[in-house]
């Protein structure tokens, strides 16, 4: 018995990875896979629509070919430069649009600082009722436990409605 305890004490304990790190890693991986799948399908769709132009955009144009193509009707951009330009315009439009929206809401409410804004929004928006002490379960061992709880609660509510209709 003493030998077993001695052997277990000799082994260094592995550091445990916190749950938040594991969850963050999982979400990052899922987002990355989704991003790659979306980008890949967009590229496949573009190549399917116009293979000749797609290949010209992917290869790019060297210096000697630029002079020859200068007289052509239009020049093709590489995919990377086109994507960079589109990302820049999209970012500009998103920030400008949100800025105008938020500034107009700020001015329409007629507030001067964040405290006034919070007070006015608190008066307009509905109050969130406090759940202290909680009326139902708040801790779940996992997603399956949560979903099973929701299903059970739904069945109870349906049974209560059915019972009230019958009486």
């Amino acid at each position: 018995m003493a030998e077993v305890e001695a052997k277990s004490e000799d082994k260094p304990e592995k550091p445990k990875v916190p749950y938040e790190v594991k969850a963050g890693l999982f979400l990052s991986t899922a987002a990355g896979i989704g991003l790659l799948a979306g980008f890949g399908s967009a590229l496949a769709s573009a190549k399917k629509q116009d293979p000749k132009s797609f290949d010209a955009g992917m290869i790019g144009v060297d210096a000697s070919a630029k002079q020859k193509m200068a007289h052509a009707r239009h020049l093709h951009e590489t995919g990377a430069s086109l994507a960079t330009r589109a990302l820049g315009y999209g970012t500009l439009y998103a920030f400008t649009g949100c800025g105008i929206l938020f500034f107009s809401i700020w001015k329409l409410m007629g507030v001067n600082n964040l405290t006034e804004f919070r007070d006015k929004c608190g008066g307009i928006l509905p109050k969130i009722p406090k759940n202290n002490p909680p009326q139902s379960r708040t801790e779940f061992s996992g997603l399956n436990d949560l979903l099973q709880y929701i299903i059970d609660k739904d069945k109870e509510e349906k049974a209560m409605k059915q019972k009230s209709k019958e009486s």
Side-chain angles (χ1 to χ4, degrees):
M1 181 82 171
E3 291 178 14
V4 174
E5 290 177 12
K7 287 182 182 178
S8 65
E9 291 176 6
D10 293 340
K11 293 181 183 178
E13 290 188 30
K14 294 181 183 176
K16 293 187 178 182
V17 180
Y19 176 76
E20 289 82 12
V21 173
K22 289 179 184 178
L25 185 63
F26 172 74
L27 290 175
S28 299
T29 303
I33 290 171
L35 184 71
L36 286 175
F39 187 71
S41 65
L43 282 177
S45 173
K47 186 170 185 172
K48 187 177 180 182
Q49 286 178 354
D50 193 2
K52 186 177 178 184
S53 295
F54 180 82
D55 290 338
M58 288 299 289
I59 296 169
V61 181
D62 60 351
S64 63
K66 276 188 180 179
Q67 292 174 352
K68 293 177 185 175
M69 292 183 68
H71 301 293
R73 292 171 101 181
H74 63 288
L75 296 174
H76 293 284
E77 290 185 75
T78 63
S81 65
L82 182 64
T84 303
R85 191 164 43 101
L87 180 64
Y89 280 126
T91 304
L92 176 72
Y93 293 152
F95 274 91
T96 304
C98 288
I100 290 171
L101 175 70
F102 300 150
F103 183 74
S104 61
I105 290 172
W106 182 274
K107 287 300 179 184
L108 286 173
M109 291 182 79
V111 295
N112 296 321
N113 56 32
L114 286 175
T115 307
E116 290 178 22
F117 181 76
R118 184 180 59 109
D119 291 338
K120 281 200 173 186
C121 286
I124 295 170
L125 297 173
K127 302 267 187 258
I128 298 173
K130 300 235 185 263
N131 192 14
N132 195 8
Q135 304 298 319
S136 59
R137 285 180 60 185
T138 58
E139 298 292 324
F140 300 97
S141 63
L143 185 61
N144 288 338
D145 189 26
L146 170 66
L147 293 175
Q148 188 60 47
Y149 174 74
I150 293 171
I151 291 169
D152 293 341
K153 276 295 201 181
D154 186 52
K155 286 180 182 177
E156 288 176 14
E157 289 176 8
K158 285 181 181 178
M160 294 290 281
K161 285 182 182 178
Q162 189 70 14
K163 197 174 189 181
S164 67
K165 284 183 180 179
E166 291 175 357
S167 49

